[in-house]
Amino acid sequence: MLKDLQQEIIQLKKEKDICILAHCYQNPEILEIADFTGDSFALSVEASKTKAKTVIMCGVKFMAETVKILSPDKKVYLANEEAGCPMAEMMDKDLIEQVKQSYPDYTVVAYINTTSELKTICDICVTSSSAVSICKKIENNKILFIPDCNLGDWVSRQLPDKEFKLLSGGCPTHAAMSDTDVKNAKRKWKNAELLVHPECKPEVVELADYVGSTTGIMNYAKKSTAKEFIIGTENSIVTHLQMACPDKIFHPLSKDCVCHNMKITTLTDVLNCCKGIGGLEIKLEEETRVKARKCIDKMIELG
């Protein structure tokens, strides 16, 4: 049955000129039928290069919006319209405009995990893998970093010469992990290295052997000579690494580190989207798209 669904999706992709993107937090059966897999911004870039007229994002809404920002001539769909992102939705344009009035001389740096509307009033965008290098290149030493205060804290620690203003916001899934989880895990798996995402709390990040993006964590584990790891990010990465590196052992830092918004997308959702009877088409006002793209272009300019 599973293979039948996958084969039907693959056939529809060919017939309807569809490109399917799958964030690496998606389940294996969806990753198997995707044209591209990986982190959110990398997927948007790949989508902009493809000749396909239609793109389906198996991820969350802000990711699909980023695809549309970079590929305005393509039809872009979110496979499951209920797949949102609590972090992206916790700060809106009105709030940040008010904050900017209190810090007029600060450069506003937006994590890619923000809505297209919020990006319109930000100066530059960053990903978790590029945040340190890009903030380092910003000429202004004063940075207002939104929305993830944990990622912002980690970046600020790498750049002590810059002054960071952080707001209370972030990923509830990553923020739920604690230093107690780390101590319990290290007590249980004494020889395991701890790899965590910078969206985790500072007290978790401080205890890590490696801190990086989802792709960074996966690449580190694959290349490392170590044989056992504790993974401090969404638990699907544990599954993917177990499949990619059967000679190594992987443990979740917390069994509760599950992004339900990512997990809501099913193979049937993708199939229905391909059929044109499901999913959410992403439509952006051209003024919003153009303004939102400016901070992304600035990110690309700085590397």
Side-chain angles (χ1 to χ4, degrees):
M1 181 63 177
L2 177 64
K3 291 297 181 183
D4 291 340
L5 287 174
Q6 290 178 317
Q7 194 54 49
E8 188 173 359
I9 290 170
I10 291 169
Q11 186 60 38
L12 285 169
K13 283 200 303 179
K14 295 177 182 178
E15 293 175 1
K16 297 191 173 186
D17 194 20
I18 296 171
C19 171
I20 295 179
L21 311 175
H23 189 272
C24 43
Y25 289 173
Q26 295 292 305
N27 290 319
E29 64 268 20
I30 292 178
L31 297 179
E32 288 172 356
I33 52 86
D35 296 286
F36 300 102
T37 63
D39 284 337
S40 63
F41 183 68
L43 292 175
S44 302
V45 173
E46 292 294 350
S48 70
K49 296 176 182 177
T50 183
K51 294 180 180 179
K53 296 177 182 178
T54 300
V55 178
I56 295 175
M57 169 59 79
C58 301
V60 294
K61 190 176 181 182
F62 83 82
M63 298 177 185
E65 288 185 346
T66 307
V67 174
K68 188 64 177 180
I69 290 169
L70 297 185
S71 303
D73 296 331
K74 299 181 188 296
K75 279 189 171 294
V76 178
Y77 292 87
L78 180 62
N80 186 309
E81 66 177 328
E82 298 299 323
C85 172
M87 186 200 309
E89 296 163 2
M90 65 177 48
M91 294 181 187
D92 61 20
K93 183 178 177 181
D94 291 341
L95 170 65
I96 300 306
E97 281 183 329
Q98 291 177 32
V99 175
K100 285 176 65 176
Q101 291 176 11
S102 300
Y103 301 93
D105 54 343
Y106 280 63
T107 297
V108 182
V109 176
Y111 189 19
I112 195 74
N113 299 40
T114 45
T115 64
S116 54
E117 183 180 50
L118 183 49
K119 286 183 176 74
T120 63
I121 59 167
C122 297
D123 298 305
I124 188 165
C125 208
V126 296
T127 64
S128 54
S129 60
S130 69
V132 172
S133 62
I134 288 178
C135 286
K136 185 177 182 178
K137 293 176 183 177
I138 295 173
E139 292 183 5
N140 189 3
N141 281 333
K142 295 181 177 181
I143 294 174
L144 172 62
F145 193 100
I146 61 170
D148 194 320
C149 61
N150 291 330
L151 175 60
D153 178 81
W154 180 69
V155 174
S156 72
R157 290 170 187 261
Q158 318 307 307
L159 304 172
D161 293 337
K162 290 185 179 285
E163 182 179 337
F164 282 76
K165 173 62 182 176
L166 308 176
L167 304 183
S168 181
C171 172
T173 301
H174 284 90
M177 292 182 284
S178 68
D179 56 343
T180 300
D181 291 323
V182 174
K183 291 169 185 174
N184 290 338
K186 288 198 168 188
R187 190 180 301 115
K188 189 173 183 178
W189 302 298
K190 294 180 175 60
N191 297 320
E193 290 190 353
L194 174 63
L195 318 181
V196 308
H197 197 284
E199 290 176 12
C200 292
K201 292 177 179 177
E203 55 266 34
V204 172
V205 170
E206 287 175 4
L207 298 170
D209 296 291
Y210 173 83
V211 182
S213 66
T214 304
T215 299
I217 288 172
M218 294 182 74
N219 289 338
Y220 179 94
K222 290 174 183 177
K223 295 175 183 178
S224 175
T225 56
K227 292 296 182 180
E228 190 172 9
F229 304 88
I230 301 164
I231 304 300
T233 190
E234 216 280 339
N235 285 344
S236 57
I237 301 306
V238 175
T239 302
H240 301 329
L241 283 170
Q242 287 172 337
M243 295 172 68
C245 309
D247 59 325
K248 298 181 179 181
I249 300 172
F250 299 92
H251 310 285
L253 176 56
S254 168
K255 62 183 176 62
D256 297 318
C257 191
V258 177
C259 178
H260 297 289
N261 279 279
M262 283 288 189
K263 292 295 185 287
I264 198 173
T265 301
T266 66
L267 200 61
T268 302
D269 289 332
V270 182
L271 176 59
N272 288 338
C273 199
C274 288
K275 288 180 175 180
I277 57 173
L280 172 70
E281 182 175 1
I282 303 298
K283 296 181 179 181
L284 299 177
E285 294 289 338
E286 183 62 7
E287 182 180 3
T288 297
R289 189 195 70 80
V290 171
K291 286 183 177 179
R293 173 144 191 170
K294 286 182 180 179
C295 69
I296 295 176
D297 285 341
K298 189 66 177 177
M299 173 177 69
I300 295 170
E301 178 189 327
L302 293 184

